[in-house]
Amino acid sequence: MEIKNKISADDLLEIYEISKQQFGAESWTFEQFENSYSSPTTIFLVMKTETIKSFLVAQDCVDSFDLLLVATSESDKRKGLASALLSELETFKKPIFLEVKESNVPAQKLYESKDYKLISRRKNYYKNGEDALIFQKK
């Protein structure tokens, strides 16, 4: 398995399917993935064999990154794939910011294990009224 930072438009459907599987009704639409793919400031990283197993989407904000999405297919969870993608993003040597649902404890543990620090909270950030926790990696 290898990390690829170049994807094709054909890869978007696989990425979208993983997103739907992991985020359900809160998944991005296919159009949102297409728009991000077309943006020169969006970075897609994927972990791929014959198919995409995990993906990461980040926005390059000149002096930092906003981590927008990270997801791994259900059958490939707990194999370190998301962690490897985060490590790859960190090689760009810019601060990384992200929001995560307060209830998403597994994701919080992943970020904390990679030295991301909780820096703030956004009250009622998500549609269901749940707070977002804001993490940063310097």
Side-chain angles (χ1 to χ4, degrees):
M1 217 171 317
E2 65 179 310
I3 295 175
K4 301 210 179 242
N5 64 2
K6 302 274 188 205
I7 66 165
S8 70
D10 294 338
D11 292 326
L12 291 178
L13 185 56
E14 282 185 77
I15 290 169
Y16 174 61
E17 291 300 327
I18 293 170
S19 179
K20 284 194 320 185
Q21 179 187 68
Q22 294 307 307
F23 303 118
E26 295 177 350
S27 171
W28 281 10
T29 65
F30 188 73
E31 184 178 17
Q32 286 173 299
F33 281 107
E34 287 180 313
N35 290 339
S36 290
Y37 176 73
S38 299
S39 170
T41 61
T42 302
I43 294 173
F44 281 81
L45 297 175
V46 296
M47 188 68 75
K48 187 172 184 173
T49 54
E50 300 83 38
T51 61
I52 293 172
K53 307 295 185 182
S54 187
F55 73 88
L56 175 153
V57 183
Q59 188 77 39
D60 187 342
C61 301
V62 181
D63 60 351
S64 66
F65 285 109
D66 283 343
L67 181 59
L68 304 176
L69 289 173
V70 178
T72 301
S73 66
E74 197 62 40
S75 61
D76 291 295
K77 283 188 175 257
R78 306 274 184 242
K79 296 180 181 176
L81 304 183
S83 179
L85 291 173
L86 286 169
S87 293
E88 182 69 16
L89 185 64
E90 292 163 7
T91 65
F92 289 95
K93 305 289 186 203
K94 293 182 184 184
I96 301 168
F97 295 89
L98 64 94
E99 292 102 9
V100 63
K101 278 187 171 184
E102 187 172 33
S103 64
N104 192 345
V105 175
Q108 291 173 48
K109 287 183 179 182
L110 169 63
Y111 301 132
E112 289 167 350
S113 76
K114 298 190 65 59
D115 296 322
Y116 285 73
K117 304 298 182 208
L118 177 63
I119 60 167
S120 189
R121 172 186 298 266
R122 289 192 172 132
K123 296 277 189 193
N124 303 311
Y125 182 76
Y126 294 98
K127 289 179 185 176
N128 67 357
E130 190 171 349
D131 290 355
L133 303 179
I134 302 172
F135 283 80
Q136 177 186 18
K137 171 105 182 226
K138 292 185 179 184

